[in-house]
């Protein structure tokens, strides 16, 4: 890890192995078609992301389009639970949040979500400045509309949610004994709780595959599975990891954006160190058969965070 990270190693838009429409149970397909109001004539699987649940744009005989997710409670319990949580959180989002709306929700042998279809594309990879600015504009709207979070939506705090990540540096230190400044980085990460507190709903999973840009250039934020309550600037920092790895000047972005320009440098570094430990440790976990590129993605993200942290701290 002495050299800078290379190009993003995963095939953009082709990272997930998902269930196809024809493999869903007939009764579930019939239920979905009733909700759509017309027979499905085409299912366009969304192969980005890192989960194996069904996620397709359904084209119906009447010309309408619908975005549907589904996972089996028996065979894909972890992902069914994730979709159930996403439905709970989508239903609580107030008007004005740049997110597709939840239209209907099934919770039975399968968990299925009907979500508003948005005609759009993912940000370009490598990232481009104009796409990044649009994404950060959307995050400023989120911070404005979701501070405080919707009443009645119970969420973990950033302090509690991030706590397990601190110990991941133990693995990094043990498996990379020649990594310079690892102990200093681990100490930085250990102080995360002092800087991540806040009263904003934080998405925590802003990546190019969770964003859509419509024809007007507006960004829609998808996949609200893992929000927490914390500092309003956390999502902006997380979003900048991919663009940093793709060669954009993200330090100038931090200095210019309203959510980050007044955040102390030490606070940014603590969370960046926490992210580094998480990604580098997770990259060493077994490769999930349904997500063959997840560890490549995490390893690259970890290296990007590490080199960014070293540059910010002045570590050789």
């Amino acid at each position: 890890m002495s050299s800078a990270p290379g190009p993003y190693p995963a095939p953009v838009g082709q990272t997930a192995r998902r269930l196809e429409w024809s493999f869903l149970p007939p009764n579930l397909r019939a239920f979905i078609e009733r909700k759509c109001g017309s027979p499905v004539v085409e299912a366009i699987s969304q192969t980005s992301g890192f989960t194996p649940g069904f996620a397709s744009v359904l084209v119906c005989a009447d010309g309408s389009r619908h975005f549907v997710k589904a996972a089996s409670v028996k065979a894909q319990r972890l992902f069914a639970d994730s979709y159930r949580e996403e439905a709970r959180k989508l239903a609580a989002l107030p008007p004005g949040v740049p997110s597709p709306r939840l239209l209907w929700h099934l919770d039975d042998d399968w968990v299925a979500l009907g979500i508003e279809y948005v005609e759009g594309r993912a940000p370009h990879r490598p990232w481009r400045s104009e796409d990044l600015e649009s994404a950060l504009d959307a995050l400023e709207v989120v911070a404005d509309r979701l501070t405080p979070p919707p009443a009645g939506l119970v969420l973990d705090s950033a302090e509690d949610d991030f706590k397990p990540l601190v110990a991941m540096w133990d693995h990094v230190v043990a498996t990379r004994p020649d990594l310079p400044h690892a102990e200093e980085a681990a100490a930085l990460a250990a102080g995360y709780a002092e800087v991540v507190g806040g009263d904003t709903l934080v998405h925590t999973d802003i990546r190019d595959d969770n964003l859509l840009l419509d024809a007007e250039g507006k960004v829609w934020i998808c996949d609200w599975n893992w929000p927490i309550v914390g500092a309003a600037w956390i999502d902006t920092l997380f979003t900048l990891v991919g663009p940093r790895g793709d060669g954009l000047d993200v330090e100038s972005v931090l200095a210019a954006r309203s959510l980050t320009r007044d955040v102390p440098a030490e606070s940014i570094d603590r969370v960046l160190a926490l992210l580094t430990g998480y990604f580098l440790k997770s990259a060493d976990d077994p490769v999930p058969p349904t997500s063959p590129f997840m560890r490549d993605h995490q390893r690259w993200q970890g290296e990007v965070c590490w080199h960014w942290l070293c540059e910010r701290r002045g570590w050789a």
Side-chain angles (χ1 to χ4, degrees):
M1 292 206 336
S2 58
S3 60
Y8 184 65
V12 175
Q14 300 292 325
T15 50
R17 293 176 177 172
R18 296 190 180 275
L19 286 171
E20 299 289 342
W21 172 251
S22 60
F23 290 102
L24 297 185
N27 62 329
L28 178 60
R29 295 202 305 270
F31 173 87
I32 292 171
E33 287 185 321
R34 288 196 299 272
K35 286 294 185 180
C36 293
S38 180
V40 172
V41 297
E42 184 182 9
I44 306 168
S45 184
Q46 305 304 289
T47 52
S48 60
F50 298 94
T51 57
F54 175 81
S56 289
V57 173
L58 303 180
V59 184
C60 291
D62 63 0
S64 62
R65 291 181 176 238
H66 310 259
F67 183 57
V68 176
K69 291 182 171 185
S72 166
V73 171
K74 181 178 179 180
Q76 298 177 306
R77 178 170 296 276
L78 178 65
F79 304 105
D81 289 344
S82 172
Y83 286 173
R84 186 179 292 114
E85 280 299 300
E86 182 177 7
R88 181 174 74 90
K89 288 148 186 171
L90 279 174
L93 294 182
V97 175
S99 167
R101 302 287 107 186
L102 178 69
L103 302 178
W104 54 263
H105 172 216
L106 172 70
D107 195 341
D108 199 350
D109 293 339
W110 286 70
V111 175
L113 284 66
I115 300 172
E116 177 186 8
Y117 171 73
V118 174
E119 181 70 40
R121 63 166 178 85
H124 292 290
R125 293 298 301 269
W127 274 88
R128 300 177 184 176
S129 295
E130 58 270 24
D131 286 357
L132 177 58
E133 293 301 321
S134 295
L136 299 179
D137 288 344
L139 290 179
E140 291 179 1
V141 175
V142 168
D144 178 64
R145 300 298 174 90
L146 296 179
T147 305
L153 185 58
V154 178
L155 300 170
D156 289 339
S157 69
E159 294 93 328
D160 290 342
D161 190 73
F162 292 163
K163 187 175 182 179
L165 277 57
V166 173
M168 294 186 177
W169 267 106
D170 296 340
H171 170 89
V172 177
V173 170
T175 57
R176 293 169 169 83
D178 296 330
L179 187 67
H181 303 286
E183 297 284 358
E184 292 166 82
L188 270 177
Y192 80 95
E194 300 172 16
V195 303
V196 298
D199 59 351
T200 298
L201 189 151
V202 181
H203 183 285
T204 74
D205 201 21
I206 305 292
R207 307 186 307 254
D208 59 290
D209 55 281
N210 285 338
L211 302 172
L212 286 172
L213 283 94
D214 65 20
E216 286 73 44
K218 173 185 174 180
V219 162
W220 298 74
I221 300 172
C222 308
D223 287 14
W224 294 78
N225 305 74
W226 316 116
I228 58 175
V229 180
W233 54 269
I234 293 174
D235 273 337
T236 296
L237 179 63
F238 286 9
T239 303
L240 294 179
V241 176
R244 159 81 187 196
D246 286 348
L248 295 187
D249 175 13
V250 297
E251 286 294 332
S252 65
V253 175
L254 285 175
R257 278 283 164 174
S258 62
L259 294 178
T260 53
R261 62 189 175 212
D262 296 323
V263 178
E266 186 79 359
S267 299
I268 298 288
D269 290 352
R270 288 187 186 279
V271 177
L272 199 53
L274 193 70
L275 271 184
T276 302
Y278 164 73
F279 282 127
L280 294 182
K281 190 275 176 189
S282 298
D284 288 343
D285 290 343
V287 178
T290 56
S291 190
F293 300 102
M294 178 180 286
R295 304 310 176 208
D296 293 334
H297 164 81
Q298 290 171 327
R299 185 170 295 105
W300 185 83
Q301 296 264 116
E303 291 174 357
V304 170
C305 289
W306 176 244
H307 283 274
W308 188 8
L309 181 64
C310 287
E311 180 180 291
R312 288 178 57 86
R313 304 297 290 188
W315 296 340

